[in-house]
């Protein structure tokens, strides 16, 4: 028998996965101040596009797409989970995940949201500094390094690139 905690935990997990899967269906609410939000919306889109492009270039995303295609091809041929696992050299749980998924985005939805950047805790600080007019990547890297940032300069520069290209006011970092 499941207790209340596990029921709520499972429900929250499914809601989170569903929202992540259908993120593109959600529309931004119309703004009353179009002139002020114009540059911010452009920067939000640029940052989101840059994050999506970086996510798609990762090796685990390519492997997930390849595995999903292989499992679905064998599933269409009528092969079961155990034989697929043996044929592809994957764990049965992994094959089951790809076997039951309706699309590769179902598999990647959780990874897309939970694999946060090492820079995530410093993003609000960086966007605030860009809003203040400081766009020198080396200077900003030094500032957050002094605050305890353990990552590389390249990650900071990649985050700043769409903000600099926008030329306007940077939006606060989205969670």
């Amino acid at each position: 028998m499941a207790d209340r905690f596990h029921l709520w935990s499972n429900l929250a997990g499914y809601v989170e996965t569903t929202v992540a899967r259908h993120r593109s269906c959600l529309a931004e609410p119309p703004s009353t101040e179009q002139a002020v939000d114009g540059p911010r919306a452009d920067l939000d889109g640029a940052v989101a596009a840059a994050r999506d492009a970086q996510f798609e270039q990762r090796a685990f995303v390519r492997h997930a797409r390849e595995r999903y295609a292989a499992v679905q091809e064998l599933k269409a041929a009528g092969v079961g989970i155990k034989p697929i696992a043996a044929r592809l050299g994957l764990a049965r749980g992994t094959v089951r995940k790809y076997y039951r998924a309706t699309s590769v985005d179902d598999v990647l939805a959780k990874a897309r949201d939970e694999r946060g950047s090492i820079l995530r805790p410093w993003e609000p600080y960086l966007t605030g500094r860009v809003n203040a007019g400081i766009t020198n990547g080396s200077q900003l890297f030094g500032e957050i390094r002094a605050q305890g940032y353990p990552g590389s300069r390249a990650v900071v520069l990649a985050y700043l690139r769409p903000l600099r290209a926008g030329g306007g006011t940077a939006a606060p970092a989205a969670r």
Side-chain angles (χ1 to χ4, degrees):
M1 173 173 286
D3 58 8
R4 244 183 283 181
F5 168 79
H6 289 103
L7 291 173
W8 279 111
S9 177
N10 290 342
L11 176 63
Y14 284 116
V15 168
E16 182 179 352
T17 302
T18 303
V19 170
R21 187 179 315 137
H22 297 287
R23 166 195 335 218
S24 62
C25 301
L26 300 173
E28 290 292 322
S31 175
T32 57
E33 299 176 20
Q34 293 295 332
V36 174
D37 289 341
R40 177 172 286 185
D42 292 343
L43 285 174
D44 285 345
V47 169
R51 279 198 182 134
D52 288 343
Q54 287 175 348
F55 181 78
E56 291 298 325
Q57 292 174 357
R58 296 180 188 247
F60 81 90
V61 174
R62 288 193 308 272
H63 291 146
R65 291 187 186 285
E66 292 167 3
R67 287 177 179 166
Y68 177 79
V71 168
Q72 291 299 317
E73 182 179 318
L74 292 171
K75 177 183 176 183
V79 181
I81 292 175
K82 271 183 153 178
I84 292 174
R87 204 178 284 180
L88 297 179
L90 299 172
R92 280 185 292 172
T94 303
V95 172
R96 189 177 302 115
K97 177 173 64 173
Y98 290 111
Y99 195 90
R100 293 178 178 168
T102 57
S103 73
V104 72
D105 291 330
D106 291 349
V107 176
L108 294 174
K110 191 171 184 179
R112 182 180 304 270
D113 287 341
E114 288 187 6
R115 284 185 180 247
S117 168
I118 193 170
L119 188 61
R120 183 80 30 98
W122 289 274
E123 286 177 2
Y125 176 78
L126 289 173
T127 53
R129 295 294 283 159
V130 170
N131 283 339
I134 311 299
T135 59
N136 183 321
S138 296
Q139 178 183 347
L140 292 172
F141 172 72
E143 290 175 10
I144 63 171
R145 181 66 126 183
Q147 295 175 13
Y149 171 66
S152 70
R153 180 181 313 221
V155 173
V156 174
L157 295 177
Y159 176 76
L160 294 174
R161 196 170 296 120
L163 298 179
R164 287 186 197 144
T169 303
R175 175 72 180 136

